[in-house]
């Protein structure tokens, strides 16, 4: 179980994340939602220790992750694999080598420099690519792939880290609708088939509702909603997203002027 207690990250006088507290059961698929600047990326980066908390604690299975240093910190970073909007692959290297990079924390660095990957790691990497229908691209340069394919390679790289938790920061923000579904399905597979906990920052509420079994809503650095997607009413969503609400709520919530608004019954629309 992941436990976050009063987690705060300040940049100067501004708190990007302000006293966030929640816990995440092993094996859940949690969506972190909220408008731009709400603190979603900073929260995920703190969990991976890419951003330094100013206050508060992160506990994973009883271990104080906030106190880890050196080798233990590097191990935690491998166990909490990050997936980014921009994929972060090394374009000039082939797909298989990019996935093998996920094994770096397990392999002495000289071996990776001379590209001497243990046979079992290569097999693991091919099998991870195969999970997402990408094994046939193993020898291709990463920069020759489409965005959706690159993100699937990044997810395979995360999988070979054998993480306890995957932290995905708007993994589909640069993708078209078809690739969005392919990549979200890949994350769902990581979660359901491998039982790996997934925390995923998402801008689209529709996606968050359909893929996540729990949502954490952030506004101005604070956790303002924490519950099942069904508990997130349109009214709460509007408060969370403020003026962006119509954009993230999707077409279903757009009601032409002058017509009754059944989907929004009981909601005060300004
Ligand atoms: N390195 C930094 N230095 C200073 N301020 C920062 C830094 N990183 C984030 N912030 C500020 O912290 C706040 C939260 O940023 P964050 O990137 O976590 O939001 P977000 O919810 O991920 O937004 P988006 O949906 O646009 O990605 C913002 O006001 C941002 O400007
Ligand atoms: Mg962000």
């Amino acid at each position: 179980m992941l436990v976050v207690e009063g987690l705060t990250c300040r940049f100067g006088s501004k708190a990007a994340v302000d006293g966030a507290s929640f816990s995440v059961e092993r094996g859940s698929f949690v969506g972190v939602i909220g408008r731009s600047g709400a603190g979603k990326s900073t929260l995920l980066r703190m969990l991976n220790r890419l951003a330094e908390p100013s206050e508060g604690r992160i506990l994973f299975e009883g271990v104080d992750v906030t106190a880890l240093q050196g080798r233990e910190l590097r191990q935690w970073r491998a166990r909490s694999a990050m997936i980014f909007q921009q994929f972060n692959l090394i374009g000039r290297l082939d797909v298989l080598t990019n996935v093998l990079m996920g094994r770096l924390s397990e392999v002495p660095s000289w071996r990776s420099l001379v590209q001497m990957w243990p046979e079992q790691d290569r097999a693991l990497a091919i099998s991870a690519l195969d999970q997402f229908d990408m094994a046939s691209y193993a020898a291709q340069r990463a920069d020759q792939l489409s965005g959706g394919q690159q993100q699937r390679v990044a997810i395979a790289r995360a999988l070979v880290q054998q993480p306890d938790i995957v932290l995905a920061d708007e993994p589909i923000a640069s993708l078209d609708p078809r690739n969005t579904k392919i990549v979200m399905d890949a994350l769902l597979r990581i979660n359901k088939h491998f039982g790996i906990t997934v925390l995923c920052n998402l801008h689209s509420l529709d996606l968050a509702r359909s893929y996540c079994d729990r949502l954490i809503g952030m506004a101005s650095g604070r956790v303002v909603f924490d519950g099942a997607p069904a508990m997130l009413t349109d009214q709460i969503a509007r408060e969370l997203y403020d003026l962006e609400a119509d954009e993230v709520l999707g077409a279903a919530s757009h009601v032409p002027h002058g017509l009754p608004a059944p989907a929004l019954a009981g909601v005060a629309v300004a």
Side-chain angles (χ1 to χ4, degrees), residues 169-191:
D169 192 0
E170 309 237 14
I172 44 83
S174 330
L175 303 178
D176 62 21
R178 186 177 151 271
N179 279 301
T180 291
K181 181 169 169 11
I182 291 172
V183 164
M184 287 307 294
D185 286 348
L187 284 174
L188 196 62
R189 185 162 175 75
I190 288 253
N191 175 248

Side-chain angles (χ1 to χ4, degrees), residues 85-98:
Q85 177 182 340
Q86 291 306 333
F87 327 128
N88 288 18
L89 301 180
I90 303 172
R92 66 189 164 75
L93 295 182
D94 63 54
V95 163
L96 185 67
T97 307
N98 268 282

Side-chain angles (χ1 to χ4, degrees), residues 31-52:
V32 181
I33 56 172
R35 60 183 302 188
S36 181
K40 306 180 296 293
S41 296
T42 308
L43 174 67
L44 249 62
R45 291 167 60 81
M46 278 196 288
L47 295 179
N48 180 263
R49 292 282 312 274
L50 277 173
E52 213 40 53

Side-chain angles (χ1 to χ4, degrees), residues 11 21 37 46 57 74 86 140 157 216 237 252:
F11 295 109
S21 296
M46 278 196 288
R57 285 205 307 172
R74 284 195 297 280
Q86 291 306 333
Q140 199 153 320
R157 180 182 57 189
I216 291 178

Side-chain angles (χ1 to χ4, degrees), residues 149-208:
Q149 290 168 337
Q150 288 193 47
Q151 193 62 298
R152 278 184 280 162
V153 173
I155 293 172
R157 180 182 57 189
L159 187 61
V160 301
Q161 288 179 221
Q162 299 181 319
D164 293 306
I165 183 164
V166 164
L167 305 168
D169 192 0
E170 309 237 14
I172 44 83
S174 330
L175 303 178
D176 62 21
R178 186 177 151 271
N179 279 301
T180 291
K181 181 169 169 11
I182 291 172
V183 164
M184 287 307 294
D185 286 348
L187 284 174
L188 196 62
R189 185 162 175 75
I190 288 253
N191 175 248
K192 296 286 178 271
H193 184 75
F194 296 94
I196 297 169
T197 310
V198 176
L199 240 78
C200 183
N201 286 353
L202 286 169
H203 198 72
S204 155
L205 206 47
D206 280 345
L207 281 179

Side-chain angles (χ1 to χ4, degrees), residues 32-256:
V32 181
I33 56 172
R35 60 183 302 188
S36 181
K40 306 180 296 293
S41 296
T42 308
L43 174 67
L44 249 62
R45 291 167 60 81
M46 278 196 288
L47 295 179
N48 180 263
R49 292 282 312 274
L50 277 173
E52 213 40 53
S54 316
E55 275 170 45
R57 285 205 307 172
I58 304 158
L59 298 159
F60 187 79
E61 278 160 13
V63 174
D64 186 352
V65 168
T66 10
L68 298 180
Q69 291 182 334
R71 186 177 146 78
E72 286 179 332
L73 176 56
R74 284 195 297 280
Q75 282 171 344
W76 168 248
R77 288 202 171 123
R79 288 173 65 197
S80 57
M82 290 275 313
I83 290 172
F84 300 93
Q85 177 182 340
Q86 291 306 333
F87 327 128
N88 288 18
L89 301 180
I90 303 172
R92 66 189 164 75
L93 295 182
D94 63 54
V95 163
L96 185 67
T97 307
N98 268 282
V99 176
L100 282 164
M101 292 295 177
R103 300 298 296 160
L104 274 186
S105 66
E106 304 287 331
V107 171
S109 50
W110 66 267
R111 288 188 98 167
S112 63
L113 286 174
V114 293
Q115 307 271 311
M116 272 184 62
W117 301 94
E119 199 45 50
Q120 70 205 52
D121 281 0
R122 301 177 75 88
L124 194 67
I126 291 282
S127 140
L129 282 167
D130 199 34
Q131 292 293 327
F132 311 112
D133 294 327
M134 289 299 295
S136 58
Y137 295 88
Q140 199 153 320
R141 272 175 67 127
D143 56 10
Q144 291 172 349
L145 303 180
S146 75
Q149 290 168 337
Q150 288 193 47
Q151 193 62 298
R152 278 184 280 162
V153 173
I155 293 172
R157 180 182 57 189
L159 187 61
V160 301
Q161 288 179 221
Q162 299 181 319
D164 293 306
I165 183 164
V166 164
L167 305 168
D169 192 0
E170 309 237 14
I172 44 83
S174 330
L175 303 178
D176 62 21
R178 186 177 151 271
N179 279 301
T180 291
K181 181 169 169 11
I182 291 172
V183 164
M184 287 307 294
D185 286 348
L187 284 174
L188 196 62
R189 185 162 175 75
I190 288 253
N191 175 248
K192 296 286 178 271
H193 184 75
F194 296 94
I196 297 169
T197 310
V198 176
L199 240 78
C200 183
N201 286 353
L202 286 169
H203 198 72
S204 155
L205 206 47
D206 280 345
L207 281 179
R209 279 186 167 134
S210 46
Y211 281 90
C212 305
D213 31 59
R214 173 171 160 209
L215 301 179
I216 291 178
M218 296 188 71
S220 308
R222 292 176 175 273
V223 172
V224 294
F225 175 84
D226 185 352
M231 288 165 62
L232 189 92
T233 59
D234 278 359
Q235 179 160 12
I236 299 171
R238 278 175 189 282
E239 286 166 11
L240 258 177
Y241 285 97
D242 199 11
L243 295 175
E244 290 178 61
D246 284 333
E247 183 192 324
V248 297
L249 281 169
S253 297
H254 287 279
V255 179

